Amino acid sequence: MDSTTALPVRVPLATRPLGILGSLRAGRRNVLELIPEIATHAPILSGRTGKRWHMVMDPGALRQILRDRVQDYPKSVVTKLLLEPAIGDSLFVAEGQSWLWQRRTAAPVFSHRNVAALAPVMTAAAEAASARIAAAGPRAVDLFDEMVRTTFDVISDVTFAGGDGLNPAAVHLAIEDYIAGTARVSLLDILGLPGWVPRPSRLQARNRMGAMKQMADSTIANRRTRGPSIPPDLLDLLLAGQDPETGRRMTTAELRDNLLTFIVAGHETTALTLSWALYLAAFDPARQARAREEAQARLGTRAATADDLPHLPFIRAMVEETLRLYPPAAFLSRTAQEMDRLCGREIRPGDTVILPIYALHRHHRLWHDPDSFHPERFLDSRPERFAFLPFGDGPRICIGASFAMQEAVIILATLLARFAFAPVPGKRPNPVMILTLRPEGGVWLSATPV
């Protein structure tokens, strides 16, 4: 185990009421610091910070929000304000009929057959990452930067196989600039002011993403002119997709917003999962050794493929335990539309309903020793369905969940089979959530070939 602490790094949750200004400071520093420590013990918490809010950690109530009465709990105004300038009214943000037809159109793109067909791109990216890590020699490597590059290679290739895609460096800079400049909570969000009230920090958001949107529009137009790639990539599949009930196809703007959603979400979240998984492997050398033994027994010296996934159960369990401890989407919010009751608590229209996935995944009533790294919990039995929500659940469960799991296991197995990772003294990552749960300061590890 890590010699400096008995547990992997965690967020310091609130131990006293924060008030409006305290909430603003915490929200801008790290959204997860808004969560009270008691949320890891209680089924529901309620309060008022500008407007009424409820934090829900009870699996039965979460089932009600995400599945049984999903139409009564659309994404909150704050969520839409954060994301719409970047990804428009895409699948992730849209509600009602707009969401439904986009989901029906995109669902075949992420079928098991199509996801499995994309695995060779993931295998090639794992090989390239291995080569870069080996070339770095014995010096420390920031594995977060490396995993961002690796997963961007994957999403670029599966989205634009024809080579006419977005410039990776330009896209990454646009995303980082957007997160730094616009994706933090504002005082107006805390006070619960409506979406039409301008948030000064976000007035430039559309300009920040404008160049990337223009590149995407140009790529879509070029592809329509020259025709699909062989085999088809993600853009081709979306261009060919149509609503099975109405026959409607996506417009250029809808295609672009969904492509940007898949690019941003598809590489950022998997890069984070892999970075945190490698941190945890270095934190726990015994479990890293067990994972390496499993990977080497199956792979030998080659990189992992889709066919290997059923033979790598412990590495998959490591990925799932990583998603429990450091879920990329660690803090979700909804706005109640109708009167309801959750855990016996009255919910009124307009109330903010918070789903603190970070607290749910570390809840003492749902998990044994919840702050510890214990992948075996996913081998011994499956958790209660609405107690483990790294990809959400219900009709709006993440459409790319199987893609992300396949990619993470292929890359992690390949790296653990080839390198022994060890922490760098004084370089512990700090878990901070802005849009996603990121390792502030990077994940600095030494990587020794084995």
Side-chain angles (χ1 to χ4, degrees):
M1 291 286 180
D2 188 320
S3 60
T4 61
T5 179
L7 295 169
V9 292
R10 74 188 294 267
V11 176
L13 303 183
T15 55
R16 57 183 176 80
L18 296 175
I20 289 176
L21 291 179
S23 296
L24 175 63
R25 284 193 292 269
R28 292 187 65 79
R29 182 173 61 244
N30 183 356
V31 169
L32 297 184
E33 292 183 25
L34 293 170
I35 301 173
E37 181 70 42
I38 197 174
T40 62
H41 297 267
I44 188 169
L45 300 173
S46 301
R48 180 184 288 275
T49 309
K51 66 185 299 186
R52 281 166 49 97
W53 56 262
H54 312 274
M55 281 190 185
V56 181
M57 290 68 62
D58 176 71
L62 289 166
R63 180 185 295 108
Q64 196 166 321
I65 295 164
L66 293 171
R67 189 182 70 186
D68 299 342
R69 295 189 59 172
V70 64
Q71 73 280 358
D72 294 337
Y73 292 98
K75 296 198 174 181
S76 70
V77 169
V78 173
T79 300
K80 292 176 181 177
L81 288 171
L82 289 175
L83 296 175
E84 278 182 336
I87 58 178
D89 192 35
S90 64
L91 190 60
F92 190 81
V93 177
E95 300 288 349
Q97 289 302 308
S98 175
W99 168 81
L100 181 60
W101 92 265
Q102 290 186 69
R103 180 80 181 205
R104 286 195 303 237
T105 302
V109 172
F110 292 93
S111 68
H112 176 75
R113 182 185 67 182
N114 282 333
V115 169
L118 298 172
V121 175
M122 302 169 184
T123 301
E127 285 280 18
S130 294
R132 288 192 297 269
I133 293 169
R139 66 183 178 84
V141 177
D142 182 358
L143 269 298
F144 176 51
D145 275 354
E146 179 54 55
M147 291 302 98
V148 166
R149 177 173 178 179
T150 301
T151 60
F152 196 89
D153 286 349
V154 172
I155 204 69
S156 297
D157 285 352
V158 303
T159 306
F160 304 115
D164 53 357
L166 306 178
N167 178 288
V171 172
H172 189 58
L173 281 174
I175 294 169
E176 291 295 315
D177 189 34
Y178 179 79
I179 289 172
T182 67
R184 295 180 186 272
V185 174
S186 82
L187 178 61
L188 303 183
D189 299 332
I190 295 290
L191 294 174
L193 270 68
W196 54 262
V197 178
R199 273 62 168 171
S201 66
R202 296 181 196 140
L203 290 178
Q204 300 303 313
R206 296 181 194 280
N207 293 335
R208 288 188 176 98
M209 299 298 290
M212 196 159 87
K213 292 185 176 185
Q214 288 174 3
M215 282 191 286
D217 287 349
S218 175
T219 299
I220 292 165
N222 291 340
R223 186 65 61 87
R224 281 193 166 121
T225 300
R226 75 162 176 80
S229 306
I230 305 296
D233 58 22
L234 183 59
L235 175 54
D236 294 321
L237 292 169
L238 283 174
L239 279 164
Q242 61 184 62
D243 186 327
E245 293 195 9
T246 66
R248 178 182 171 186
R249 295 179 185 271
M250 289 188 184
T251 65
T252 295
E254 289 165 337
L255 281 165
R256 173 240 297 150
D257 289 341
N258 278 291
L259 278 175
L260 293 180
T261 299
F262 298 146
I263 289 167
V264 174
H267 96 94
E268 165 91 355
T269 57
T270 311
L272 289 168
T273 302
L274 285 163
S275 301
W276 285 117
L278 289 166
Y279 158 73
L280 289 166
F283 172 84
D284 192 331
R287 288 189 170 97
Q288 181 182 172
R290 178 176 173 179
R292 179 173 304 106
E293 182 179 343
E294 178 181 87
Q296 289 178 339
R298 174 65 187 178
L299 306 178
T301 59
R302 63 178 175 81
T305 68
D307 291 340
D308 299 315
L309 267 58
H311 305 280
L312 300 168
F314 187 72
I315 290 172
R316 181 184 176 93
M318 283 184 68
V319 172
E320 291 180 304
E321 178 72 338
T322 300
L323 287 167
R324 185 187 69 82
L325 288 169
Y326 305 107
F331 190 93
L332 309 176
S333 61
R334 301 286 189 266
T335 300
Q337 301 297 299
E338 303 288 343
M339 290 291 291
D340 197 5
R341 295 193 77 80
L342 297 172
C343 303
R345 194 74 49 89
E346 181 182 75
I347 309 298
R348 302 174 191 166
D351 285 1
T352 297
V353 178
I354 298 164
L355 287 59
I357 306 301
Y358 185 86
L360 174 74
H361 285 183
R362 293 169 182 260
H363 201 282
H364 288 254
R365 294 183 186 175
L366 301 171
W367 305 93
H368 172 70
D369 198 8
D371 290 317
S372 69
F373 176 54
H374 188 69
E376 292 82 0
R377 72 177 90 235
F378 287 94
L379 294 175
D380 300 339
S381 61
R382 298 305 302 173
E384 184 178 348
R385 180 165 171 179
F386 284 83
F388 180 57
L389 298 172
F391 300 109
D393 209 301
R396 297 198 67 141
I397 192 169
C398 174
I399 198 170
S402 61
F403 179 100
M405 284 300 299
Q406 175 177 288
E407 179 182 10
V409 174
I410 285 174
I411 294 171
L412 185 61
T414 302
L415 296 181
L416 290 179
R418 297 177 176 186
F419 300 97
F421 294 96
V424 175
K427 287 281 193 178
R428 294 170 64 205
N430 181 31
V432 172
M433 181 168 177
I434 304 174
L435 274 181
T436 50
L437 183 50
R438 297 171 142 225
E440 186 179 62
V443 176
W444 288 89
L445 305 174
S446 63
T448 305
V450 293

